[in-house]
Each structure stands twice: as structure tokens, then as C-alpha cells.
Amino acid sequence: ALDGNIRLALYPWIDVEVNGLTLANAQGFGDTPFLHVDYLNVRIKLIPLLREQYEVDTVKITGAQVNLARNKDGITNWADLMKPGAEESKPLPLTAIVLGGVDVQKAQLNWTDDVNGAQYKVKDLTFTTGKLIYGEPINLNLTTSVEANKPALSSDLKLNGIVKYDLDAERYSVEPLNLEGILRSKQLPGGETPITFNAALAADLAKDTASVTGLKLSALK
């Protein structure tokens, strides 16, 4: 369902702006929508598109809410979306894509598991990246609040890092990776503790190796 206005421009950018986008839940999962987005804006430059080059401006998403669930039979509400289509489309070459970045504001992710009674919420999620160019490092920034009932805890988190990758060699790293926040639980002395985590992570899938260096962890101060 599209509940709000739609704006479309064609030059010099193919510019699509959508307000109030809702995707219904799978059958048997109630009236709560699977996905709702207050605002979505995607722009791709027209002239390079004619040369099969894809110059996309920053993708902006505001007020997204995703409700994931698993029923008592172990069936998820996204299982029907994962069914293979009649034909597989050819993926776009990554070297032909330049993405101005991703800007997600005020997002929320809910997970309900009727198999074990677990419920998790990721709220007030802000996620931004720098410009995405194939082969170039990616700057990540994320802030969010997390709630869980198994175990019963909540946390405010802030994360930033720089992702480097070599898809051909299957090598990936996040250096540095910085995480800080406040963890709350009745099981903690005083009910809460600040936490900080700093490290450099690396993985080499071709060699089945992974490493963590420069690890610094602080909590329960």
C-alpha cells in the first residue's frame, strides 16, 4: 500500500520519492505489517545510465519499521519472499556502480519468536555510510537502542568503523571498530554499566582464517 505522495523526476536524475509505503505481513502473522517506511528517496543519474553505469545518490530512508517473526511451527514471515523465481536475473557488475551512501534515520527492527518466546527490539536506529565505490573503504556509523526479554536487558549503543574488502581474494576487515554504550540489566551491579569495545577485525575466507587485534574491552566500572 502507498498511503502518501509519490514524486518522480527524470532529468538530470531519475528521482523517486515515496511517502508512506507498507508491505503486508505473510498469511497467518496477523495485521501488523511486515514493513512500513515513512519516507524513501532514491536518485540515479540518467546520462551515465545510458552507458550502463549506475551513479546513485545517497539512498535516504526515514521511519522504517521491519517486523520479523517465527511462529510455533518454526515458519518465518519472510519464507515466502525467499522462494526462487522462474528466472534468475544477471547481477549488476559492482565496478559499474557508484553509490553516494546510505542514510537511514529513525528505523526500528522487531523480532518475535514463538518457538522460544524471545522478543528483541532494535529502536531509534540511525545508520549512515560514506560514498560507496567498489574497492574503496566504507565508513560506517550507527547508533541505536536495543531491548530483549531473553535475557532481560536493554542497551544504548554507538558504533563506527571502516570496512575494507577484496572480493576477488575474499579478504575483509573492519579497522578500526569502535563500540560504546550503556548496558542495563537487573543482573548488573547498580543495574547498568558503561561498555566500550575497540578492535581490528580481519577475515580471509579463502584461507578460513580470522583475527582480532588491538582488542580493548571495558565494562563494570
Side-chain angles (χ1 to χ4, degrees):
L2 294 171
D3 303 321
N5 296 327
I6 301 174
R7 182 179 65 84
L8 176 65
L10 296 177
Y11 187 83
W13 296 83
I14 298 176
D15 188 348
V16 180
E17 185 179 279
V18 177
N19 294 271
L21 169 67
T22 301
L23 178 63
N25 223 326
Q27 186 174 359
F29 286 90
D31 297 330
T32 301
F34 175 79
L35 168 69
H36 176 79
V37 177
D38 288 340
Y39 175 82
L40 170 66
N41 180 225
V42 180
R43 304 200 316 160
I44 182 168
K45 193 167 283 187
L46 177 60
I47 298 302
L49 190 61
L50 303 178
R51 302 190 297 267
E52 296 187 348
Q53 296 175 344
Y54 306 89
E55 296 186 19
V56 184
D57 200 2
T58 301
V59 176
K60 299 179 180 179
I61 303 173
T62 302
Q65 180 169 320
V66 182
N67 298 297
L68 304 178
R70 183 169 65 166
N71 65 20
K72 294 180 180 179
D73 297 323
I75 300 173
T76 64
N77 64 339
W78 67 87
D80 57 338
L81 300 176
M82 304 301 291
K83 294 178 181 178
E87 295 182 1
E88 294 186 3
S89 58
K90 184 179 179 181
L92 296 175
L94 294 178
T95 53
I97 302 173
V98 175
L99 178 59
V102 177
D103 184 358
V104 177
Q105 302 289 329
K106 300 178 181 178
Q108 180 166 327
L109 174 64
N110 301 318
W111 166 246
T112 301
D113 192 341
D114 289 339
V115 172
N116 56 23
Q119 293 183 343
Y120 304 99
K121 291 183 179 181
V122 178
K123 305 188 302 180
D124 300 321
L125 174 66
T126 296
F127 175 72
T128 62
T129 73
K131 198 170 186 178
L132 303 179
I133 301 175
Y134 179 70
E136 296 293 324
I138 302 172
N139 292 302
L140 300 180
N141 293 279
L142 181 149
T143 60
T144 190
S145 296
V146 179
E147 294 180 2
N149 69 338
K150 289 188 176 182
L153 56 83
S154 64
S155 182
D156 298 327
L157 299 173
K158 181 179 180 181
L159 178 148
N160 61 74
I162 299 177
V163 178
K164 298 179 181 179
Y165 57 93
D166 185 332
L167 298 183
D168 294 331
E170 298 185 280
R171 290 195 297 264
Y172 308 88
S173 68
V174 184
E175 182 181 357
L177 174 63
N178 303 309
L179 173 68
E180 61 182 53
I182 298 176
L183 180 64
R184 304 179 185 90
S185 173
K186 293 181 179 179
Q187 308 302 319
L188 295 171
E192 66 178 41
T193 179
I195 55 173
T196 59
F197 175 89
N198 309 103
L201 311 180
D204 189 327
L205 301 186
K207 296 180 179 179
D208 290 328
T209 61
S211 65
V212 179
T213 56
L215 175 63
K216 296 180 180 180
L217 177 62
S218 174
L220 298 175
K221 289 185 177 181

